[in-house]
Amino acid sequence: MDKNIISFNSVITTSVFALSFLLIGIPLWWKTTEVYRYPIPYEECQSLLSEIIRHTIPVKLVIEDRTVQQGLLWEELLNYSDEKSKEYSQPVITFDWSMSSTSEEEQELIQKYQNITDLDFALYLNDKISGGATLHKKEYGQPEIIILNQNYSKEPKFTIGRGRHGYIINNEGFKGLAQSIDILARKITQVNRLQKLYTPASSYGGDKKPDKDRMRYLRSSKKFDMTFSLIVPEPQVLEAHWDIENAVNSYLKDVLKELELISTVNVKSQVLYMTSLPISTHSSMGDKGEEFILHSDHLPSLINPIEAKLGSDTSVHPNLNFVLYIPSREQTPLQIYDNKGKPLPSNAFLLPQWGGFMIYNCHIPANASLPHPVLLDSHTFMEIFLSQFRLLLGLAETDGLSSDTFQVLSGPVIRNWEMDFLLRKNAQEQLSASISSLSSLSQLLQMIGNIVIRDDVGQKIHFALSSTKESLKLLAQGDLLGGFLTAQSAFVFSDEAFFDPSLLALLYFPEDQKYAIYIPLFLPISLPVITSMSHLWKYWRHVHTKDKPKVD
């Protein structure tokens, strides 16, 4: 027998070794080194980009004016709404109308008061005290418009109340009244502002043209901090006292309780001594004597020196700063002047998405003993800070809504109809953010195959996807509260999934590093296998030749 031909036992041994390597070793290595990826519905995540946010707003009409032809008004109102709905803009906003005449109880309540202001105050108190037990309690996102006869009051034609009520003094036919109802409904629900502040998911990263209102308000967040800071540069001259705890309880407690549905606000306060600002001023003689003028173009330079001392970076949540600055004795009184050279009555300014800054002048008598004690007036600075806080939340100035034919009744810091606006604004903003995160993440996971997708991350993606779809459905059905809560859940889970650190575990592990690891491991094993395969080939060839019959 040829010495180069291995024996049958060696053939069996080599075959078992080769088959074990090929059938067990390689599959086991492949299975144990593969990247674990939780199944993700990529197509569903991408399809969200084509979804359109639709707000359906239930509006109830209560007709007190008996001259109104309700059948003709109803038909005209539907036709007018259909015409307006053809004006396509995102998000799509439609009204779900309902109409009824005043009941005996409602009629009695309307006749009891001789003007809209008192009537609305009664309805507002009824809602607040009853807690939803009576006829007039309105749910989130469900305004009511009361049509009054033209002799009811001499007030403006349109009135927006403190709660969710709107009022129209009717002095026209059914066609004009239908248009008036649509105008008032759009004012109460802030349709134009909702569409103005809306950012589609496709341009959520910042492709949309910057806008003053859009850049000003704080973006949606489950929690944020609010810090009140008092800056006293000369404590040896002025001993300033502010009762900030009672001020917050008096002016902000009810507001923050209302906002708990949207965000949890953590209020903090601090006093900074010996902190001076590089204020460039010049003196001038005004109506009240000598004053120091601070021009508006110098205002941004005031924030940078104190930014590090405010402690905004000590929290992981977004922070709103409200700074009350007492000028030094040499620069008192300090007055801010606008670009037109006129003094600002508030002596304060607003920084978009940052907070507010107010200059509080304290007069010190010439013969006063130092440090001179001063108790700061809480009403003065809290009134300014609250107006700035409204703008930072995204609410419009009510003065811009008022006109000769329109009035907005004074009321709480955040009226009920404004709360509805905040819910819709935040819902559509969170939906856009969630859709953008889910579509971007699914695209990234498809492109890069070696990203690990753990079970918890995959489940967050699935939950965010289902919550997004549910929120779109609820908003389209007119369920504002349910739509907002599910949008908030979608936003939180999509954000957590997108920024989960486990997604980066193998993201930057290059392919050549794999070869550097596996070649030293498999090469020593592979060479004997390859050599044994050549011997096996010789053996089977020899056996085949031996069994073949010879031909003479």
Side-chain angles (χ1 to χ4, degrees), residues 224-239:
F224 67 87
D225 298 329
M226 181 184 293
T227 304
F228 293 92
S229 302
L230 172 63
I231 299 181
V232 185
E234 295 179 339
Q236 74 279 9
V237 176
L238 188 71
E239 185 181 348

PDB file of all heavy atoms in Angstrom, residues 224-239:
ATOM      1  N   PHE A 224     -39.189  70.415  34.505  1.00  0.00           N
ATOM      2  CA  PHE A 224     -38.222  71.493  34.348  1.00  0.00           C
ATOM      3  C   PHE A 224     -38.127  72.275  35.645  1.00  0.00           C
ATOM      4  O   PHE A 224     -39.016  72.225  36.493  1.00  0.00           O
ATOM      5  CB  PHE A 224     -38.545  72.402  33.154  1.00  0.00           C
ATOM      6  CG  PHE A 224     -39.793  73.222  33.273  1.00  0.00           C
ATOM      7  CD1 PHE A 224     -39.773  74.469  33.885  1.00  0.00           C
ATOM      8  CD2 PHE A 224     -40.998  72.762  32.757  1.00  0.00           C
ATOM      9  CE1 PHE A 224     -40.921  75.238  33.980  1.00  0.00           C
ATOM     10  CE2 PHE A 224     -42.148  73.525  32.847  1.00  0.00           C
ATOM     11  CZ  PHE A 224     -42.107  74.760  33.463  1.00  0.00           C
ATOM     12  N   ASP A 225     -37.016  72.981  35.809  1.00  0.00           N
ATOM     13  CA  ASP A 225     -36.757  73.757  37.019  1.00  0.00           C
ATOM     14  C   ASP A 225     -37.051  75.228  36.768  1.00  0.00           C
ATOM     15  O   ASP A 225     -36.917  75.729  35.647  1.00  0.00           O
ATOM     16  CB  ASP A 225     -35.297  73.594  37.455  1.00  0.00           C
ATOM     17  CG  ASP A 225     -34.962  72.155  37.808  1.00  0.00           C
ATOM     18  OD1 ASP A 225     -35.865  71.438  38.275  1.00  0.00           O
ATOM     19  OD2 ASP A 225     -33.797  71.747  37.619  1.00  0.00           O
ATOM     20  N   MET A 226     -37.425  75.926  37.833  1.00  0.00           N
ATOM     21  CA  MET A 226     -37.641  77.372  37.797  1.00  0.00           C
ATOM     22  C   MET A 226     -36.857  77.971  38.959  1.00  0.00           C
ATOM     23  O   MET A 226     -37.117  77.666  40.127  1.00  0.00           O
ATOM     24  CB  MET A 226     -39.133  77.696  37.917  1.00  0.00           C
ATOM     25  CG  MET A 226     -39.448  79.185  37.871  1.00  0.00           C
ATOM     26  SD  MET A 226     -41.216  79.521  38.145  1.00  0.00           S
ATOM     27  CE  MET A 226     -41.933  78.822  36.676  1.00  0.00           C
ATOM     28  N   THR A 227     -35.871  78.804  38.615  1.00  0.00           N
ATOM     29  CA  THR A 227     -34.975  79.360  39.626  1.00  0.00           C
ATOM     30  C   THR A 227     -35.148  80.871  39.708  1.00  0.00           C
ATOM     31  O   THR A 227     -34.998  81.577  38.701  1.00  0.00           O
ATOM     32  CB  THR A 227     -33.509  79.032  39.293  1.00  0.00           C
ATOM     33  OG1 THR A 227     -33.349  77.622  39.152  1.00  0.00           O
ATOM     34  CG2 THR A 227     -32.589  79.532  40.400  1.00  0.00           C
ATOM     35  N   PHE A 228     -35.470  81.362  40.910  1.00  0.00           N
ATOM     36  CA  PHE A 228     -35.547  82.795  41.180  1.00  0.00           C
ATOM     37  C   PHE A 228     -34.255  83.221  41.866  1.00  0.00           C
ATOM     38  O   PHE A 228     -33.901  82.668  42.913  1.00  0.00           O
ATOM     39  CB  PHE A 228     -36.754  83.121  42.062  1.00  0.00           C
ATOM     40  CG  PHE A 228     -38.075  82.892  41.392  1.00  0.00           C
ATOM     41  CD1 PHE A 228     -38.739  81.678  41.515  1.00  0.00           C
ATOM     42  CD2 PHE A 228     -38.658  83.888  40.633  1.00  0.00           C
ATOM     43  CE1 PHE A 228     -39.963  81.463  40.899  1.00  0.00           C
ATOM     44  CE2 PHE A 228     -39.879  83.695  40.006  1.00  0.00           C
ATOM     45  CZ  PHE A 228     -40.528  82.474  40.133  1.00  0.00           C
ATOM     46  N   SER A 229     -33.581  84.201  41.268  1.00  0.00           N
ATOM     47  CA  SER A 229     -32.295  84.647  41.795  1.00  0.00           C
ATOM     48  C   SER A 229     -32.343  86.142  42.089  1.00  0.00           C
ATOM     49  O   SER A 229     -32.740  86.937  41.235  1.00  0.00           O
ATOM     50  CB  SER A 229     -31.170  84.351  40.794  1.00  0.00           C
ATOM     51  OG  SER A 229     -31.101  82.971  40.488  1.00  0.00           O
ATOM     52  N   LEU A 230     -31.934  86.505  43.280  1.00  0.00           N
ATOM     53  CA  LEU A 230     -31.796  87.904  43.669  1.00  0.00           C
ATOM     54  C   LEU A 230     -30.310  88.237  43.707  1.00  0.00           C
ATOM     55  O   LEU A 230     -29.531  87.577  44.406  1.00  0.00           O
ATOM     56  CB  LEU A 230     -32.428  88.143  45.039  1.00  0.00           C
ATOM     57  CG  LEU A 230     -32.205  89.530  45.663  1.00  0.00           C
ATOM     58  CD1 LEU A 230     -32.851  90.615  44.800  1.00  0.00           C
ATOM     59  CD2 LEU A 230     -32.750  89.571  47.093  1.00  0.00           C
ATOM     60  N   ILE A 231     -29.897  89.244  42.936  1.00  0.00           N
ATOM     61  CA  ILE A 231     -28.494  89.633  42.869  1.00  0.00           C
ATOM     62  C   ILE A 231     -28.318  90.973  43.578  1.00  0.00           C
ATOM     63  O   ILE A 231     -28.925  91.983  43.187  1.00  0.00           O
ATOM     64  CB  ILE A 231     -28.009  89.731  41.411  1.00  0.00           C
ATOM     65  CG1 ILE A 231     -28.139  88.358  40.722  1.00  0.00           C
ATOM     66  CG2 ILE A 231     -26.575  90.214  41.339  1.00  0.00           C
ATOM     67  CD1 ILE A 231     -27.675  88.344  39.286  1.00  0.00           C
ATOM     68  N   VAL A 232     -27.501  90.951  44.622  1.00  0.00           N
ATOM     69  CA  VAL A 232     -27.215  92.158  45.406  1.00  0.00           C
ATOM     70  C   VAL A 232     -25.712  92.410  45.318  1.00  0.00           C
ATOM     71  O   VAL A 232     -24.933  91.781  46.051  1.00  0.00           O
ATOM     72  CB  VAL A 232     -27.661  92.000  46.874  1.00  0.00           C
ATOM     73  CG1 VAL A 232     -27.465  93.308  47.638  1.00  0.00           C
ATOM     74  CG2 VAL A 232     -29.106  91.542  46.950  1.00  0.00           C
ATOM     75  N   PRO A 233     -25.265  93.304  44.452  1.00  0.00           N
ATOM     76  CA  PRO A 233     -23.819  93.516  44.290  1.00  0.00           C
ATOM     77  C   PRO A 233     -23.155  94.203  45.475  1.00  0.00           C
ATOM     78  O   PRO A 233     -21.947  94.060  45.676  1.00  0.00           O
ATOM     79  CB  PRO A 233     -23.733  94.379  43.020  1.00  0.00           C
ATOM     80  CG  PRO A 233     -25.051  95.046  42.913  1.00  0.00           C
ATOM     81  CD  PRO A 233     -26.046  94.108  43.504  1.00  0.00           C
ATOM     82  N   GLU A 234     -23.927  94.967  46.281  1.00  0.00           N
ATOM     83  CA  GLU A 234     -23.336  95.705  47.411  1.00  0.00           C
ATOM     84  C   GLU A 234     -24.111  95.418  48.700  1.00  0.00           C
ATOM     85  O   GLU A 234     -24.907  96.234  49.181  1.00  0.00           O
ATOM     86  CB  GLU A 234     -23.336  97.207  47.120  1.00  0.00           C
ATOM     87  CG  GLU A 234     -22.453  97.601  45.944  1.00  0.00           C
ATOM     88  CD  GLU A 234     -22.505  99.088  45.664  1.00  0.00           C
ATOM     89  OE1 GLU A 234     -23.484  99.748  46.086  1.00  0.00           O
ATOM     90  OE2 GLU A 234     -21.580  99.591  45.021  1.00  0.00           O
ATOM     91  N   PRO A 235     -23.924  94.243  49.286  1.00  0.00           N
ATOM     92  CA  PRO A 235     -24.653  93.934  50.532  1.00  0.00           C
ATOM     93  C   PRO A 235     -24.225  94.811  51.701  1.00  0.00           C
ATOM     94  O   PRO A 235     -24.967  94.931  52.680  1.00  0.00           O
ATOM     95  CB  PRO A 235     -24.306  92.461  50.762  1.00  0.00           C
ATOM     96  CG  PRO A 235     -23.014  92.251  50.045  1.00  0.00           C
ATOM     97  CD  PRO A 235     -23.058  93.143  48.855  1.00  0.00           C
ATOM     98  N   GLN A 236     -23.049  95.410  51.619  1.00  0.00           N
ATOM     99  CA  GLN A 236     -22.603  96.310  52.682  1.00  0.00           C
ATOM    100  C   GLN A 236     -23.328  97.649  52.638  1.00  0.00           C
ATOM    101  O   GLN A 236     -23.313  98.409  53.622  1.00  0.00           O
ATOM    102  CB  GLN A 236     -21.085  96.536  52.591  1.00  0.00           C
ATOM    103  CG  GLN A 236     -20.624  97.439  51.463  1.00  0.00           C
ATOM    104  CD  GLN A 236     -20.536  96.717  50.117  1.00  0.00           C
ATOM    105  OE1 GLN A 236     -20.971  95.573  49.998  1.00  0.00           O
ATOM    106  NE2 GLN A 236     -19.949  97.389  49.136  1.00  0.00           N
ATOM    107  N   VAL A 237     -23.990  97.932  51.498  1.00  0.00           N
ATOM    108  CA  VAL A 237     -24.745  99.174  51.339  1.00  0.00           C
ATOM    109  C   VAL A 237     -26.238  98.938  51.498  1.00  0.00           C
ATOM    110  O   VAL A 237     -26.948  99.728  52.116  1.00  0.00           O
ATOM    111  CB  VAL A 237     -24.444  99.815  49.963  1.00  0.00           C
ATOM    112  CG1 VAL A 237     -25.303 101.060  49.742  1.00  0.00           C
ATOM    113  CG2 VAL A 237     -22.971 100.163  49.855  1.00  0.00           C
ATOM    114  N   LEU A 238     -26.709  97.823  50.954  1.00  0.00           N
ATOM    115  CA  LEU A 238     -28.143  97.548  50.932  1.00  0.00           C
ATOM    116  C   LEU A 238     -28.423  96.162  51.510  1.00  0.00           C
ATOM    117  O   LEU A 238     -27.844  95.165  51.059  1.00  0.00           O
ATOM    118  CB  LEU A 238     -28.668  97.624  49.490  1.00  0.00           C
ATOM    119  CG  LEU A 238     -30.184  97.539  49.315  1.00  0.00           C
ATOM    120  CD1 LEU A 238     -30.848  98.817  49.819  1.00  0.00           C
ATOM    121  CD2 LEU A 238     -30.537  97.317  47.852  1.00  0.00           C
ATOM    122  N   GLU A 239     -29.285  96.109  52.475  1.00  0.00           N
ATOM    123  CA  GLU A 239     -29.716  94.845  53.073  1.00  0.00           C
ATOM    124  C   GLU A 239     -31.104  94.516  52.525  1.00  0.00           C
ATOM    125  O   GLU A 239     -32.116  94.945  53.061  1.00  0.00           O
ATOM    126  CB  GLU A 239     -29.738  94.950  54.591  1.00  0.00           C
ATOM    127  CG  GLU A 239     -30.060  93.638  55.290  1.00  0.00           C
ATOM    128  CD  GLU A 239     -30.106  93.787  56.803  1.00  0.00           C
ATOM    129  OE1 GLU A 239     -29.659  94.844  57.316  1.00  0.00           O
ATOM    130  OE2 GLU A 239     -30.606  92.864  57.469  1.00  0.00           O
TER     131      GLU A 239
END
